[in-house]
């Protein structure tokens, strides 16, 4: 059959290949059973690509990424590459992919499965039914601002936090649109009491809100937002914020759900092509042991089917299968709290696969 959708798999480093293996196995199975017309290709990225090709993002990988409708990325980085030159670090591959493909909208949901409220480090009643979405601007701000570097005498180093109205507006629109489909509350997070760039951010968000009267917009300073996320996370519906603040707040939000091993993310451009990643990173301490939690990677596949490939039913099939496995008490080693049998990475993959309810 002719392929309708091109998906590129970039397993990367650490536990990336282990979790991608499970996610890919599942995707192939659904693709064949439902005749979705997805073609899969795999390329090298990150530290492993640096070892083989001398660069964390080989030209062939970037070319394949440009051709793809969607990318599943495992993770990049690890202590092996801590001391290599800045521009050759595995993380640079991720940042280049984001910027080359203009993946400016990073969606990071933090959803707590009803079966896992005892896994959170917060009291169960604080997180029961938690469902929030962080919309992080991903191709601007201090991550990419110029100038950056070191002074000639090597005594100073600097980065620049810069946002244009256009950049703020386009991420703002994504967040307002997301809020419309949810509980219609949007909290914009900034540091407008100190940073000029945040004053502009706030102005643009406020102006934009006039176009979305059905959404209730609020503003919050980032230090307060960090505190509120651990004090009373259920007050939030959608949070929109810049690149650096979003990086930090999304890690906090992730942990509220009990394990960072559960959470997917999507990074989209204006055509809805996207890169999908588990939030957890390469976890070098458990790499190669076969105990990583593949659920975040599998959830990332569900997000991919929904956002980039427009295959909502197939996405729901995956999400339902995960819920059903969790409801039966199956857990991976990262999930603390009550719950029955502990499964290894591939066993969790098998269980989810067995629970897929596939009807053509
Ligand atoms: C993330 C990661 C990356 C980031 C790193 C690995 C470059 O922490 O996706 O949150 O800072 O954006
Ligand atoms: Mg991060």
């Amino acid at each position: 059959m002719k392929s309708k959708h091109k998906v590129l798999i970039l397993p990367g480093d650490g536990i990336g290949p282990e979790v991608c293996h499970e996610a890919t196995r599942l995707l192939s199975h659904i693709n064949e059973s439902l005749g979705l017309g997805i073609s899969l290709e795999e390329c090298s990225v990150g530290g492993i690509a640096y070892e083989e090709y001398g660069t964390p993002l080989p030209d062939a990988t970037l070319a394949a990424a440009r051709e793809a409708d969607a990318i599943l990325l495992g993770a990049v980085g690890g202590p092996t590459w801590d001391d290599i030159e800045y521009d050759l670090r595995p993380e640079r591959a991720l940042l280049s992919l984001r910027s080359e493909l203009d993946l400016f909208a990073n969606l990071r949901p933090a959803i707590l499965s009803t079966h896992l409220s005892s896994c959170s480090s917060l009291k169960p009643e604080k997180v029961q039914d938690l469902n929030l979405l962080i919309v992080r601007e991903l191709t601007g701000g201090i991550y990419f601002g110029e100038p950056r570097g070191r002074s000639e005498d090597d005594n100073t180093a600097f980065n620049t936090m810069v946002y244009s109205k256009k950049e703020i507006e386009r991420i703002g629109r994504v967040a307002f649109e997301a809020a419309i489909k949810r509980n219609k509350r949007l909290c914009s997070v900034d540091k407008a009491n100190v940073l000029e760039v945040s004053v502009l951010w706030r102005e643009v968000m406020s102006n934009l809100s006039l176009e979305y009267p059905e959404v209730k917009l609020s503003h919050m300073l980032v230090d307060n937002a960090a505190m509120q996320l651990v004090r009373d996370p259920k007050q939030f519906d959608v949070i929109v914020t810049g690149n650096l603040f979003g990086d930090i707040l999304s890690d906090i939000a992730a942990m509220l759900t009990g394990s960072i091993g559960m959470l997917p993310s999507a990074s989209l451009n204006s055509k809805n092509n996207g890169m999908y990643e588990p939030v957890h990173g390469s976890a070098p301490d458990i790499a190669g042991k076969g105990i990583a939690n593949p659920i975040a990677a599998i959830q990332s596949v569900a997000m991919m089917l929904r956002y980039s490939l427009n295959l909502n039913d197939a996405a729901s099939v995956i999400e339902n299968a995960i819920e059903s496995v969790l409801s039966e008490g199956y857990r991976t080693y990262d999930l603390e709290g009550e719950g029955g049998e502990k499964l290894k990475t591939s066993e969790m993959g098998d269980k989810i696969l067995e629970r897929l309810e596939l009807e053509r």
Side-chain angles (χ1 to χ4, degrees), residues 6-12 16-28 38-45 48 60-61 64-65 68-75 97 274-276 278 297 300-301 304 309:
K6 281 190 188 165
V7 171
L8 175 66
I9 313 286
L10 301 177
E18 297 165 51
V19 298
C20 273
H21 179 76
E22 296 311 313
T24 309
R25 195 155 70 92
L26 198 103
L27 179 58
S28 302
I38 296 172
S39 66
L40 293 169
E41 192 189 347
E42 190 174 308
C43 282
S44 183
V45 78
I48 189 165
T61 302
D69 297 300
I71 301 169
L72 175 69
L73 185 136
L97 280 169
M275 181 156 77
Y276 297 80
S300 299
V301 166
M304 169 194 288
L309 309 186

Side-chain angles (χ1 to χ4, degrees), residues 112-150:
L112 182 66
S113 159
T114 37
H115 314 291
L116 294 181
S117 43
S118 67
C119 297
S120 175
S121 49
L122 294 193
K123 297 191 190 91
E125 66 270 22
K126 293 277 180 201
V127 289
Q128 187 85 55
D129 300 321
L130 179 75
N131 184 338
L132 67 85
L133 174 68
I134 297 191
V135 179
R136 168 187 177 195
E137 199 292 326
L138 201 60
T139 50
I142 198 164
Y143 272 55
F144 293 96
E146 296 288 345
R148 65 174 171 102
R150 284 185 187 235

Side-chain angles (χ1 to χ4, degrees), residues 164-235:
S164 67
K165 283 188 180 169
K166 221 168 120 193
E167 285 174 312
I168 304 170
E169 198 179 306
R170 69 174 182 170
I171 192 68
R173 287 193 189 283
V174 171
F176 276 102
E177 301 285 347
I180 288 177
K181 295 196 197 116
R182 297 173 44 106
N183 291 323
K184 303 187 174 50
R185 285 184 290 117
L186 175 63
C187 180
S188 169
V189 172
D190 60 39
K191 189 71 186 170
N193 55 344
V194 176
L195 304 174
E196 273 96 344
V197 61
S198 284
V199 174
L200 181 67
W201 180 279
R202 213 174 254 226
E203 267 169 39
V204 174
M205 288 296 166
S206 298
N207 286 337
L208 209 50
S209 79
L210 304 175
E211 291 179 41
Y212 299 91
E214 62 272 61
V215 176
K216 192 174 173 328
L217 174 71
S218 60
H219 301 277
M220 198 179 274
L221 297 173
V222 62
D223 47 351
N224 185 26
M227 193 257 280
Q228 295 297 337
L229 270 173
V230 288
R231 192 187 71 86
D232 176 23
K234 282 195 267 181
Q235 69 183 282

Side-chain angles (χ1 to χ4, degrees), residues 9-130:
I9 313 286
L10 301 177
D13 305 317
I15 60 171
E18 297 165 51
V19 298
C20 273
H21 179 76
E22 296 311 313
T24 309
R25 195 155 70 92
L26 198 103
L27 179 58
S28 302
H29 182 83
I30 296 183
N31 185 31
E32 277 155 35
S33 311
L34 299 179
L36 301 179
I38 296 172
S39 66
L40 293 169
E41 192 189 347
E42 190 174 308
C43 282
S44 183
V45 78
I48 189 165
Y50 169 77
E51 300 298 339
E52 202 175 337
Y53 305 98
T55 165
L57 184 61
D59 291 344
T61 302
L62 181 57
R66 287 191 203 283
E67 286 289 303
D69 297 300
I71 301 169
L72 175 69
L73 185 136
V76 292
T80 323
W81 305 286
D82 270 353
D83 296 326
I84 65 175
E85 192 190 318
Y86 180 79
D87 281 324
L88 294 175
R89 292 181 62 99
E91 293 81 3
R92 298 305 302 173
L94 193 55
L95 296 171
S96 303
L97 280 169
R98 289 173 181 172
S99 113
E100 292 289 329
L101 306 178
D102 203 20
L103 305 173
F104 69 94
N106 184 216
L107 310 182
R108 297 192 164 184
I111 300 174
L112 182 66
S113 159
T114 37
H115 314 291
L116 294 181
S117 43
S118 67
C119 297
S120 175
S121 49
L122 294 193
K123 297 191 190 91
E125 66 270 22
K126 293 277 180 201
V127 289
Q128 187 85 55
D129 300 321
L130 179 75

Side-chain angles (χ1 to χ4, degrees), residues 238 248 256:
V238 180
I248 299 165
L256 299 175

